[in-house]
Amino acid sequence: MALVRYRNSIDPWREFERLRDEINDLFDFDQTSGSRGLFDRHVSPALDVIEGPDSFTVMCELPGIEQKDIELSLTGNVLTVKGERSPEKDKNTGKVYRQESWSGTFQRTISLPQTVDADRKVDAVLENGILTLTLPKKEEAKPKQISIKVQ
Amino acid sequence: MAEKNLEKRSETRPTVRACCDVLEKDGEITLKLEMPGVTKEGLKVNIDGDQLEIRGMRDVRIPEGGEYLIHEIRDADFYQLYTIDETIDRNKIDASLKNGVLTLKLGVKESQKPRRIEIAAK
């Protein structure tokens, strides 16, 4: 065991502030469901659904997952993100000190509002471990601005 | 988003610890940190003496004026600080970022590797 320098830069009050902020944060975010649905899935990646003026944006955190391992399907208004993260192949040859990442299959199914236009093109981009889907809204659901002529 | 803005924004944003795997193989310590949404520009890895500081600033495009229906992804940057001891060779540190996973390879000094001592038979 080698000697390492003691880090005395920790400000105890800063730590309390951080704790307070973290507790406040708990109320601002939805909890990721551990196992929800028919099948007991061990993992469910965090998801965001944002409603914009003319489209819905679905974002999903999928770090370390290749494009080919993700399967997306849209049936009516039900969107399913499914995939698998295979465990490291070379893990057996090394020594594991700590493992926090998961591997295995995952599936998230969400019901989108009726206003999603499922027939139109859905954009899906996987970038830096985040999957972003853009689903257009139906024409009639978009907010319309009616200009009034002043006479 | 420009890099400067990321750093400026990062000063006030909350930070979370990234999920981390620590592995050892062939005299090399490998750290794998899950940082979805972090770009190469937003990643800062610093070594100061025996402290390894990793800061991953997320650069995720969120549509303007939207309303969250589900909000599970935390709006935070990644930050963690590790203490590394003398056995790590400071000149043999290699970092790569792929699909939101940062892989750091820390080489162990040659002098610290286990070696066999030959016994001379007389």
Side-chain angles (χ1 to χ4, degrees), chain B residues 1-69:
Chain B
M1 204 180 276
E3 191 188 333
K4 244 185 177 163
N5 295 347
L6 276 181
E7 255 177 84
K8 186 117 184 79
R9 189 189 63 170
S10 177
E11 286 168 14
T12 51
R13 262 159 74 93
T15 57
V16 288
R17 229 177 55 84
C19 268
C20 181
D21 288 357
V22 184
L23 311 153
E24 185 181 352
K25 200 185 147 195
D26 304 330
E28 215 177 41
I29 307 282
T30 307
L31 297 177
K32 278 189 180 173
L33 293 104
E34 288 187 355
M35 295 181 162
V38 173
T39 53
K40 212 175 125 228
E41 289 72 35
L43 184 71
K44 296 273 174 293
V45 180
N46 282 324
I47 294 169
D48 177 18
D50 47 21
Q51 284 178 10
L52 173 67
E53 190 184 34
I54 303 157
R55 183 181 286 278
M57 290 167 273
R58 280 181 196 244
D59 189 3
V60 183
R61 236 164 270 114
I62 294 164
E64 303 255 326
E67 193 192 330
Y68 279 97
L69 303 178

Side-chain angles (χ1 to χ4, degrees), chain B residues 116-122:
Chain B
R116 221 183 129 104
I117 299 162
E118 295 296 333
I119 302 159
K122 274 187 181 170

